[in-house]
Amino acid sequence: MKSILPLMLALAPVLIVSGNSSAQEEFPILKGPYMGQKPPGMVAEPFAPGVISKEGWELEGVFAPGMKEFYFTIDRGIYTGPNKTGFRPTVIGFRQENNVWKKYIEFPREGELVLSPDGKRMHMAEGYRDRIGDGWSERKSLGPMFDREDWGIMRLSASAKGTYVFDDYKSNDLIRISTLRG
């Protein structure tokens, strides 16, 4: 056992580096504005076919204000058994650096992702993340008013003045509006 320990310690950095490099390898190199894609026209088309839009489950592609970051959701589930269980939605974030788009973040999706008008807050259902330097905080709650068992918020967006507009799937798909007072 003692002879295996030095070998494991020597291989650990190689495994860590190879694990980090594979995160970008699943996506080809994308260059230029709009992730190297043709800007949208009057006819709806899949975005970045074979890269972002693939066979499978992709959802809610969102560019951040300034068009230097792009976020979308995929299913990272591991399917087992005849019912294909294991649904695991995951947010992937790309950032443009020196004209090249690189994957820089991945985290579990909890609600549909909407960015604030200034790009400093990422809303996800009744929670949010704040921008901290080059990254994002851990997910936080919007508070007891939104953490209600009788509401089912999937998507929440905020105006520059703090008005929230959100759906409520537990109340026959109502659209609710919450404004700041005082």
Side-chain angles (χ1 to χ4, degrees), residues 8-176:
M8 289 173 54
L9 291 174
L11 287 177
V14 173
L15 294 173
I16 291 168
V17 169
S18 66
N20 289 340
S21 65
S22 68
Q24 182 62 37
E25 288 174 9
E26 67 185 292
F27 299 100
I29 301 295
L30 302 170
K31 294 182 180 182
Y34 205 61
M35 294 187 79
Q37 306 303 301
K38 179 178 82 173
M42 297 302 290
V43 177
E45 298 178 35
F47 181 70
V51 179
I52 305 298
S53 300
K54 298 179 183 180
E55 293 289 324
W57 194 86
E58 292 82 29
L59 176 69
E60 64 194 12
V62 177
F63 277 97
M67 302 291 287
K68 301 289 184 191
E69 293 178 350
F70 179 77
Y71 302 90
F72 72 105
T73 302
I74 63 172
D75 179 12
R76 286 265 197 235
I78 299 169
Y79 300 107
T80 59
N83 297 327
K84 294 193 174 224
T85 60
F87 178 69
R88 195 179 81 191
T90 303
V91 174
I92 306 286
F94 279 83
R95 179 176 286 148
Q96 187 181 28
E97 297 173 2
N98 300 321
N99 206 35
V100 176
W101 290 87
K102 295 181 180 177
K103 177 182 166 187
Y104 84 100
I105 193 168
E106 181 174 321
F107 56 87
R109 173 186 160 237
E110 296 180 62
E112 295 186 23
L113 190 142
V114 178
L115 293 161
S116 65
D118 63 5
K120 293 181 180 177
R121 183 164 279 182
M122 179 186 290
H123 291 280
M124 297 169 290
E126 69 281 347
Y128 68 95
R129 292 175 180 248
D130 283 326
R131 189 175 292 279
I132 299 175
D134 285 343
W136 294 96
S137 70
E138 291 299 313
R139 187 173 187 271
K140 303 172 188 174
S141 168
L142 285 169
M145 179 178 162
F146 295 92
D147 291 337
R148 299 168 51 151
E149 288 295 320
D150 59 330
W151 283 4
I153 301 171
M154 285 180 47
R155 177 176 285 139
L156 179 144
S157 61
S159 74
K161 294 184 179 182
T163 298
Y164 292 149
V165 177
F166 53 98
D167 65 345
D168 181 357
Y169 67 85
K170 289 184 178 178
S171 300
N172 295 321
D173 294 324
L174 255 118
I175 302 296
R176 298 185 184 271

